[in-house]
Short mmCIF file of all heavy atoms in Angstrom, two decimals:
data_model
loop_
_atom_site.label_atom_id
_atom_site.label_comp_id
_atom_site.label_asym_id
_atom_site.label_seq_id
_atom_site.Cartn_x
_atom_site.Cartn_y
_atom_site.Cartn_z
N LYS A 251 0.84 -1.20 0.00
CA LYS A 251 0.00 0.00 0.00
C LYS A 251 0.87 1.25 0.00
O LYS A 251 2.02 1.21 0.44
CB LYS A 251 -0.93 0.00 1.21
CG LYS A 251 -1.96 -1.11 1.21
CD LYS A 251 -2.85 -1.04 2.43
CE LYS A 251 -3.90 -2.15 2.41
NZ LYS A 251 -4.77 -2.11 3.62
N PRO A 252 0.36 2.39 -0.51
CA PRO A 252 1.16 3.62 -0.50
C PRO A 252 1.72 3.93 0.88
O PRO A 252 1.02 3.77 1.90
CB PRO A 252 0.15 4.68 -0.96
CG PRO A 252 -0.81 3.93 -1.80
CD PRO A 252 -0.95 2.58 -1.14
N LEU A 253 2.97 4.33 0.90
CA LEU A 253 3.65 4.64 2.15
C LEU A 253 2.97 5.80 2.85
O LEU A 253 2.63 6.81 2.23
CB LEU A 253 5.11 4.99 1.85
CG LEU A 253 6.05 5.18 3.04
CD1 LEU A 253 6.15 3.90 3.84
CD2 LEU A 253 7.43 5.61 2.54
N THR A 254 2.73 5.66 4.14
CA THR A 254 2.10 6.71 4.92
C THR A 254 2.98 7.10 6.10
O THR A 254 3.89 6.36 6.50
CB THR A 254 0.73 6.26 5.47
OG1 THR A 254 0.90 5.09 6.27
CG2 THR A 254 -0.23 5.95 4.33
N PHE A 255 2.70 8.29 6.64
CA PHE A 255 3.45 8.81 7.77
C PHE A 255 2.46 9.22 8.85
O PHE A 255 1.34 9.62 8.56
CB PHE A 255 4.31 9.99 7.33
CG PHE A 255 5.27 9.65 6.24
CD1 PHE A 255 4.86 9.72 4.90
CD2 PHE A 255 6.55 9.23 6.52
CE1 PHE A 255 5.74 9.38 3.88
CE2 PHE A 255 7.43 8.90 5.50
CZ PHE A 255 7.02 8.97 4.18
N VAL A 256 2.88 9.08 10.08
CA VAL A 256 1.99 9.39 11.20
C VAL A 256 2.61 10.48 12.06
O VAL A 256 3.83 10.68 12.05
CB VAL A 256 1.71 8.14 12.07
CG1 VAL A 256 0.98 7.09 11.25
CG2 VAL A 256 3.02 7.55 12.61
N GLU A 257 1.77 11.17 12.76
CA GLU A 257 2.22 12.27 13.62
C GLU A 257 1.81 12.01 15.06
O GLU A 257 0.69 11.56 15.32
CB GLU A 257 1.64 13.59 13.14
CG GLU A 257 2.15 14.81 13.89
CD GLU A 257 1.64 16.11 13.29
OE1 GLU A 257 2.23 16.58 12.30
OE2 GLU A 257 0.62 16.62 13.82
N GLU A 258 2.71 12.24 15.97
CA GLU A 258 2.42 12.14 17.39
C GLU A 258 2.75 13.47 18.05
O GLU A 258 3.64 14.19 17.60
CB GLU A 258 3.25 11.02 18.04
CG GLU A 258 2.85 9.63 17.60
CD GLU A 258 3.64 8.56 18.32
OE1 GLU A 258 4.52 8.91 19.15
OE2 GLU A 258 3.39 7.37 18.06
N VAL A 259 2.04 13.76 19.11
CA VAL A 259 2.27 15.00 19.86
C VAL A 259 2.58 14.62 21.30
O VAL A 259 1.89 13.79 21.90
CB VAL A 259 1.03 15.92 19.82
CG1 VAL A 259 1.30 17.18 20.63
CG2 VAL A 259 0.68 16.27 18.38
N THR A 260 3.64 15.21 21.85
CA THR A 260 3.98 14.96 23.24
C THR A 260 4.29 16.27 23.93
O THR A 260 4.82 17.20 23.33
CB THR A 260 5.20 14.02 23.37
OG1 THR A 260 5.51 13.83 24.75
CG2 THR A 260 6.42 14.60 22.67
N GLN A 261 3.94 16.33 25.19
CA GLN A 261 4.25 17.50 26.01
C GLN A 261 5.35 17.18 27.01
O GLN A 261 5.65 17.97 27.89
CB GLN A 261 2.99 17.97 26.76
CG GLN A 261 1.84 18.35 25.85
CD GLN A 261 2.17 19.51 24.97
OE1 GLN A 261 2.91 20.41 25.37
NE2 GLN A 261 1.62 19.52 23.76
N ASP A 262 5.91 15.99 26.88
CA ASP A 262 6.92 15.52 27.83
C ASP A 262 8.25 16.17 27.51
O ASP A 262 9.02 15.70 26.69
CB ASP A 262 7.04 14.00 27.76
CG ASP A 262 7.90 13.43 28.87
OD1 ASP A 262 8.68 14.20 29.47
OD2 ASP A 262 7.78 12.23 29.16
N GLU A 263 8.55 17.29 28.16
CA GLU A 263 9.79 18.02 27.87
C GLU A 263 11.02 17.21 28.24
O GLU A 263 12.06 17.33 27.60
CB GLU A 263 9.78 19.35 28.62
CG GLU A 263 8.68 20.31 28.13
CD GLU A 263 8.76 21.65 28.81
OE1 GLU A 263 9.68 21.83 29.63
OE2 GLU A 263 7.90 22.51 28.52
N GLU A 264 10.91 16.38 29.29
CA GLU A 264 12.06 15.57 29.67
C GLU A 264 12.37 14.55 28.58
O GLU A 264 13.53 14.28 28.26
CB GLU A 264 11.80 14.85 30.99
CG GLU A 264 11.75 15.79 32.19
CD GLU A 264 11.60 15.03 33.49
OE1 GLU A 264 11.56 13.77 33.44
OE2 GLU A 264 11.55 15.67 34.55
N LEU A 265 11.31 14.00 27.97
CA LEU A 265 11.50 13.06 26.89
C LEU A 265 12.14 13.74 25.70
O LEU A 265 13.05 13.21 25.06
CB LEU A 265 10.17 12.44 26.46
CG LEU A 265 10.20 11.51 25.22
CD1 LEU A 265 11.10 10.32 25.49
CD2 LEU A 265 8.79 11.07 24.86
N VAL A 266 11.70 14.94 25.38
CA VAL A 266 12.27 15.70 24.28
C VAL A 266 13.75 15.96 24.52
O VAL A 266 14.59 15.77 23.64
CB VAL A 266 11.53 17.04 24.10
CG1 VAL A 266 12.23 17.89 23.06
CG2 VAL A 266 10.08 16.79 23.69
N GLU A 267 14.07 16.38 25.74
CA GLU A 267 15.47 16.66 26.05
C GLU A 267 16.31 15.39 25.97
O GLU A 267 17.43 15.40 25.47
CB GLU A 267 15.57 17.26 27.46
CG GLU A 267 17.00 17.64 27.83
CD GLU A 267 17.08 18.31 29.20
OE1 GLU A 267 16.02 18.49 29.84
OE2 GLU A 267 18.20 18.63 29.62
N GLU A 268 15.73 14.26 26.45
CA GLU A 268 16.46 13.00 26.40
C GLU A 268 16.73 12.57 24.96
O GLU A 268 17.83 12.15 24.61
CB GLU A 268 15.65 11.92 27.11
CG GLU A 268 16.32 10.55 27.09
CD GLU A 268 15.47 9.49 27.77
OE1 GLU A 268 14.46 9.84 28.40
OE2 GLU A 268 15.82 8.30 27.64
N MET A 269 15.69 12.73 24.09
CA MET A 269 15.86 12.38 22.68
C MET A 269 16.94 13.24 22.04
O MET A 269 17.77 12.77 21.27
CB MET A 269 14.54 12.53 21.92
CG MET A 269 13.52 11.46 22.22
SD MET A 269 12.04 11.67 21.21
CE MET A 269 12.71 11.40 19.57
N TRP A 270 16.91 14.53 22.36
CA TRP A 270 17.91 15.44 21.79
C TRP A 270 19.31 15.05 22.23
O TRP A 270 20.23 14.98 21.43
CB TRP A 270 17.59 16.86 22.19
CG TRP A 270 18.65 17.82 21.76
CD1 TRP A 270 19.54 18.48 22.54
CD2 TRP A 270 18.96 18.20 20.43
NE1 TRP A 270 20.36 19.26 21.78
CE2 TRP A 270 20.03 19.10 20.48
CE3 TRP A 270 18.42 17.87 19.19
CZ2 TRP A 270 20.58 19.67 19.34
CZ3 TRP A 270 18.98 18.44 18.05
CH2 TRP A 270 20.04 19.33 18.15
N ASN A 271 19.48 14.79 23.54
CA ASN A 271 20.79 14.42 24.05
C ASN A 271 21.27 13.13 23.42
O ASN A 271 22.45 12.96 23.12
CB ASN A 271 20.75 14.29 25.57
CG ASN A 271 20.58 15.63 26.27
OD1 ASN A 271 20.93 16.66 25.71
ND2 ASN A 271 20.03 15.61 27.47
N ASP A 272 20.34 12.18 23.23
CA ASP A 272 20.70 10.89 22.66
C ASP A 272 21.17 11.01 21.23
O ASP A 272 21.98 10.22 20.75
CB ASP A 272 19.51 9.91 22.69
CG ASP A 272 19.27 9.37 24.10
OD1 ASP A 272 20.16 9.54 24.95
OD2 ASP A 272 18.19 8.79 24.33
N THR A 273 20.68 12.01 20.50
CA THR A 273 20.94 12.05 19.06
C THR A 273 21.92 13.13 18.65
O THR A 273 22.25 13.24 17.49
CB THR A 273 19.63 12.28 18.29
OG1 THR A 273 19.05 13.52 18.70
CG2 THR A 273 18.65 11.16 18.54
N GLU A 274 22.40 13.91 19.60
CA GLU A 274 23.31 14.99 19.22
C GLU A 274 24.54 14.47 18.49
O GLU A 274 25.01 15.06 17.54
CB GLU A 274 23.75 15.77 20.47
CG GLU A 274 22.75 16.81 20.91
CD GLU A 274 23.30 17.64 22.05
OE1 GLU A 274 23.72 17.06 23.07
OE2 GLU A 274 23.32 18.86 21.93
N ASP A 275 25.06 13.31 18.94
CA ASP A 275 26.29 12.79 18.36
C ASP A 275 26.06 11.55 17.51
O ASP A 275 26.98 10.82 17.21
CB ASP A 275 27.29 12.44 19.49
CG ASP A 275 27.65 13.66 20.31
OD1 ASP A 275 27.92 14.70 19.70
OD2 ASP A 275 27.64 13.58 21.54
N VAL A 276 24.80 11.30 17.17
CA VAL A 276 24.48 10.07 16.46
C VAL A 276 24.30 10.34 14.99
O VAL A 276 23.42 11.07 14.62
CB VAL A 276 23.18 9.48 17.01
CG1 VAL A 276 22.87 8.19 16.29
CG2 VAL A 276 23.30 9.23 18.49
N CYS A 277 25.14 9.78 14.16
CA CYS A 277 24.94 9.99 12.73
C CYS A 277 25.90 9.15 11.93
O CYS A 277 27.00 9.56 11.67
CB CYS A 277 25.15 11.43 12.37
SG CYS A 277 26.56 12.14 13.17
N PRO A 278 25.50 7.93 11.55
CA PRO A 278 26.37 7.13 10.71
C PRO A 278 26.48 7.73 9.33
O PRO A 278 25.50 7.87 8.63
CB PRO A 278 25.68 5.77 10.66
CG PRO A 278 24.27 6.06 11.02
CD PRO A 278 24.27 7.30 11.86
N THR A 279 27.67 8.13 8.94
CA THR A 279 27.92 8.63 7.59
C THR A 279 29.12 7.87 7.07
O THR A 279 29.67 7.00 7.73
CB THR A 279 28.20 10.14 7.61
OG1 THR A 279 29.36 10.37 8.40
CG2 THR A 279 27.02 10.89 8.19
N ALA A 280 29.55 8.21 5.88
CA ALA A 280 30.69 7.49 5.34
C ALA A 280 31.56 8.42 4.52
O ALA A 280 31.08 9.15 3.70
CB ALA A 280 30.21 6.36 4.45
N ASP A 281 32.86 8.38 4.80
CA ASP A 281 33.78 9.09 3.93
C ASP A 281 34.67 8.05 3.27
O ASP A 281 34.28 6.89 3.16
CB ASP A 281 34.59 10.15 4.70
CG ASP A 281 35.54 9.53 5.70
OD1 ASP A 281 35.65 8.28 5.71
OD2 ASP A 281 36.17 10.29 6.45
N GLU A 282 35.85 8.45 2.87
CA GLU A 282 36.69 7.50 2.14
C GLU A 282 36.93 6.25 2.96
O GLU A 282 37.04 5.16 2.42
CB GLU A 282 38.02 8.20 1.81
CG GLU A 282 38.88 7.38 0.88
CD GLU A 282 40.08 8.16 0.42
OE1 GLU A 282 40.43 9.15 1.09
OE2 GLU A 282 40.66 7.79 -0.60
N GLU A 283 37.00 6.39 4.31
CA GLU A 283 37.19 5.24 5.16
C GLU A 283 35.90 4.88 5.88
O GLU A 283 35.88 4.07 6.79
CB GLU A 283 38.28 5.53 6.20
CG GLU A 283 39.65 5.79 5.55
CD GLU A 283 40.71 6.06 6.60
OE1 GLU A 283 40.34 6.21 7.78
OE2 GLU A 283 41.90 6.10 6.24
N GLN A 284 34.78 5.50 5.50
CA GLN A 284 33.47 5.23 6.07
C GLN A 284 33.45 5.47 7.58
O GLN A 284 33.19 4.59 8.37
CB GLN A 284 33.05 3.78 5.76
CG GLN A 284 33.02 3.48 4.27
CD GLN A 284 32.09 4.40 3.53
OE1 GLN A 284 30.94 4.50 3.87
NE2 GLN A 284 32.59 5.07 2.54
N ASP A 285 33.75 6.68 8.00
CA ASP A 285 33.67 7.00 9.41
C ASP A 285 32.35 7.72 9.69
O ASP A 285 31.52 7.86 8.82
CB ASP A 285 34.88 7.82 9.88
CG ASP A 285 34.88 9.21 9.25
OD1 ASP A 285 33.98 9.49 8.42
OD2 ASP A 285 35.76 10.00 9.59
N TYR A 286 32.17 8.17 10.93
CA TYR A 286 30.95 8.82 11.33
C TYR A 286 31.19 10.30 11.59
O TYR A 286 32.23 10.70 12.07
CB TYR A 286 30.41 8.18 12.63
CG TYR A 286 29.86 6.81 12.42
CD1 TYR A 286 30.71 5.70 12.42
CD2 TYR A 286 28.51 6.62 12.22
CE1 TYR A 286 30.20 4.43 12.23
CE2 TYR A 286 28.00 5.35 12.03
CZ TYR A 286 28.85 4.26 12.04
OH TYR A 286 28.34 3.01 11.85
N SER A 287 30.22 11.11 11.29
CA SER A 287 30.30 12.54 11.52
C SER A 287 28.98 13.04 12.05
O SER A 287 27.94 12.69 11.54
CB SER A 287 30.64 13.28 10.22
OG SER A 287 30.39 14.65 10.37
N ASP A 288 29.02 13.87 13.09
CA ASP A 288 27.76 14.31 13.69
C ASP A 288 27.22 15.57 13.03
O ASP A 288 26.35 16.22 13.57
CB ASP A 288 27.93 14.54 15.20
CG ASP A 288 28.94 15.64 15.51
OD1 ASP A 288 29.55 16.19 14.58
OD2 ASP A 288 29.11 15.92 16.70
N GLU A 289 27.70 15.90 11.85
CA GLU A 289 27.23 17.11 11.21
C GLU A 289 26.38 16.83 9.97
O GLU A 289 25.79 17.74 9.42
CB GLU A 289 28.42 17.98 10.79
CG GLU A 289 29.21 18.47 11.98
CD GLU A 289 30.39 19.32 11.55
OE1 GLU A 289 30.64 19.44 10.33
OE2 GLU A 289 31.07 19.84 12.43
N ASP A 290 26.30 15.57 9.56
CA ASP A 290 25.67 15.29 8.28
C ASP A 290 24.33 14.58 8.40
O ASP A 290 23.45 14.80 7.59
CB ASP A 290 26.61 14.44 7.42
CG ASP A 290 27.88 15.19 7.12
OD1 ASP A 290 27.81 16.19 6.40
OD2 ASP A 290 28.92 14.77 7.62
N GLU A 291 24.16 13.73 9.40
CA GLU A 291 22.94 12.93 9.49
C GLU A 291 21.83 13.67 10.20
O GLU A 291 20.67 13.47 9.92
CB GLU A 291 23.27 11.62 10.22
CG GLU A 291 22.08 10.74 10.45
CD GLU A 291 22.03 9.64 9.41
OE1 GLU A 291 22.92 9.61 8.56
OE2 GLU A 291 21.11 8.83 9.45
N TYR A 292 22.17 14.56 11.14
CA TYR A 292 21.17 15.22 11.95
C TYR A 292 21.17 16.71 11.70
O TYR A 292 22.19 17.36 11.81
CB TYR A 292 21.39 14.91 13.43
CG TYR A 292 21.16 13.46 13.68
CD1 TYR A 292 22.17 12.55 13.53
CD2 TYR A 292 19.87 13.00 13.94
CE1 TYR A 292 21.94 11.21 13.68
CE2 TYR A 292 19.63 11.65 14.09
CZ TYR A 292 20.66 10.77 13.96
OH TYR A 292 20.43 9.43 14.10
N THR A 293 20.03 17.22 11.37
CA THR A 293 19.88 18.64 11.06
C THR A 293 19.20 19.32 12.24
O THR A 293 18.09 18.96 12.61
CB THR A 293 19.02 18.84 9.80
OG1 THR A 293 19.64 18.12 8.73
CG2 THR A 293 18.91 20.30 9.45
N ASP A 294 19.85 20.30 12.85
CA ASP A 294 19.26 21.03 13.96
C ASP A 294 18.62 22.31 13.43
O ASP A 294 19.31 23.24 13.07
CB ASP A 294 20.35 21.36 14.99
CG ASP A 294 19.79 22.22 16.13
OD1 ASP A 294 18.55 22.30 16.23
OD2 ASP A 294 20.59 22.77 16.89
N ALA A 295 17.32 22.30 13.40
CA ALA A 295 16.60 23.49 12.97
C ALA A 295 15.89 24.12 14.15
O ALA A 295 14.95 24.90 13.99
CB ALA A 295 15.59 23.15 11.88
N SER A 296 16.32 23.79 15.35
CA SER A 296 15.63 24.28 16.54
C SER A 296 15.76 25.79 16.71
O SER A 296 15.03 26.39 17.49
CB SER A 296 16.17 23.57 17.79
OG SER A 296 17.56 23.79 17.92
N ASP A 297 16.71 26.39 15.98
CA ASP A 297 16.88 27.84 16.11
C ASP A 297 16.20 28.61 14.98
O ASP A 297 16.49 29.78 14.78
CB ASP A 297 18.36 28.19 16.16
CG ASP A 297 19.12 27.73 14.91
OD1 ASP A 297 18.51 26.98 14.12
OD2 ASP A 297 20.28 28.11 14.77
N LEU A 298 15.30 27.95 14.23
CA LEU A 298 14.56 28.67 13.19
C LEU A 298 13.78 29.82 13.81
O LEU A 298 13.14 29.68 14.83
CB LEU A 298 13.58 27.73 12.49
CG LEU A 298 14.15 26.78 11.42
CD1 LEU A 298 13.05 25.91 10.87
CD2 LEU A 298 14.82 27.56 10.31
#
């Protein structure tokens, strides 16, 4: 079936902060030696 996306809403600020902390340095990327970089996989638009 056609791919669908769902939306959830949470007011749990502690959960939001925990998710942010967990993902700040998480981003599998690949360069010539296939290393990881925390600047390419995660986009921080929180300062829009």
Side-chain angles (χ1 to χ4, degrees):
K251 295 181 179 179
L253 187 62
T254 58
F255 302 86
V256 297
E257 186 175 277
E258 292 183 358
V259 179
T260 179
Q261 301 297 326
D262 189 341
E263 295 184 1
E264 291 185 1
L265 175 61
V266 173
E267 183 176 359
E268 179 182 351
M269 287 183 64
W270 174 251
N271 290 336
D272 285 346
T273 60
E274 277 186 306
D275 299 315
V276 182
C277 43
T279 61
D281 67 6
E282 189 172 20
E283 297 180 351
Q284 302 302 305
D285 67 357
Y286 289 84
S287 165
D288 62 357
E289 296 179 355
D290 297 293
E291 177 100 0
Y292 294 88
T293 303
D294 176 14
S296 59
D297 59 350
L298 280 179

